[in-house]
Amino acid sequence: MRSRHHLPFLAYASVLCFLVTFRLLHATTEAPKVVHSDGNPIIADGSYYSADPAPLVANGTLYILAGHDEAPPGTNDFVMNDWQILATKNVASGIWLHYPSIARPETLFKWAAPGHAYAGQIVQGPNHRFYMYSPVTQAHSHTQDPFGIGVAVSDTPIGPWKDAHPTGPIVSQNTPGQPTYKTSTLPSGWTTITASTCIGEPLASCAVLN
């Protein structure tokens, strides 16, 4: 039977193994930071403000995709320039890996404007690749609602990501076959944001938009 004195050592050995494995698998991404969390929120020191968490479980790891709000004091708006990810193999351990920036709208989607890295979601497809559905603003949109849903693809949840539909958003007021509604006529001023995805049967993808 293991003594209590061995538990801290085993916890740190576990996170070291986790970190080394992640660095070998994701050598092209920014090195993650180890976060020790005592509960909610996960990052409680005020260094990063997160929004719109979307969980994904893959290969025994829990990933949380989130936005990153950088609005300074006195700013009555969201300033969200990139997406971040938190990952852990054991929530109860309180040990997380924080990837502070996995993608930016204007570098991920060439048709997108900077900023507005709003609520996205990652799902794993039947081909075992990962797809991130993300609402962003279009750089050259002439519609009342400039938002559109882009989709990126990667072999791992933390990237590197690339545009899976380079010709433009998969859903927007500019998309052929989509209704050309006016934002002001929709309940609560809805726009094409907050994509939530699922895999249906028979292996058909679907999206729920707000």
Side-chain angles (χ1 to χ4, degrees):
M1 182 175 179
R2 295 188 180 100
S3 71
R4 292 180 179 271
H5 298 291
H6 289 131
L7 294 180
F9 172 78
L10 292 173
Y12 281 103
S14 175
V15 75
L16 180 60
C17 237
F18 183 32
L19 183 56
V20 169
T21 301
F22 263 61
R23 291 307 300 142
L24 290 174
L25 292 175
H26 313 300
T28 59
T29 63
E30 181 181 350
K33 300 175 182 178
V34 178
V35 173
H36 299 269
S37 174
D38 293 327
N40 290 322
I42 298 172
I43 301 178
D45 61 1
S47 59
Y48 271 77
Y49 293 96
S50 308
D52 309 315
L56 166 75
V57 176
N59 302 319
T61 299
L62 169 64
Y63 299 88
I64 299 178
L65 173 69
H68 173 206
D69 193 2
E70 301 176 78
T75 300
N76 187 24
D77 195 5
F78 302 106
V79 179
M80 304 179 73
N81 296 310
D82 53 8
W83 294 278
Q84 60 182 317
I85 275 185
L86 288 154
T88 185
K89 284 188 173 294
N90 183 359
V91 175
S93 72
I95 300 173
W96 296 77
L97 294 183
H98 179 217
Y99 295 83
S101 181
I102 64 160
R104 299 174 67 91
E106 73 277 16
T107 55
L108 182 56
F109 306 115
K110 298 303 182 184
W111 46 267
H116 296 109
Y118 283 2
Q121 188 168 8
I122 299 172
V123 293
Q124 188 170 18
N127 60 357
H128 304 294
R129 302 192 78 189
F130 296 91
Y131 295 85
M132 181 167 68
Y133 292 81
S134 308
V136 296
T137 52
Q138 300 169 83
H140 305 290
S141 174
H142 302 291
T143 60
Q144 184 174 354
D145 173 16
F147 274 94
I149 304 297
V151 58
V153 64
S154 173
D155 292 325
T156 72
I158 64 167
W161 293 92
K162 66 178 182 179
D163 193 347
H165 192 257
T167 56
I170 58 170
V171 178
S172 75
Q173 285 191 16
N174 292 323
T175 306
Q178 296 296 320
T180 55
Y181 59 83
K182 290 185 177 180
T183 303
S184 59
T185 65
L186 291 175
S188 304
W190 285 3
T191 56
T192 310
I193 61 173
T194 319
S196 184
T197 55
C198 60
I199 302 296
E201 294 293 342
L203 295 180
S205 62
C206 57
V208 180
L209 309 177
N210 180 14

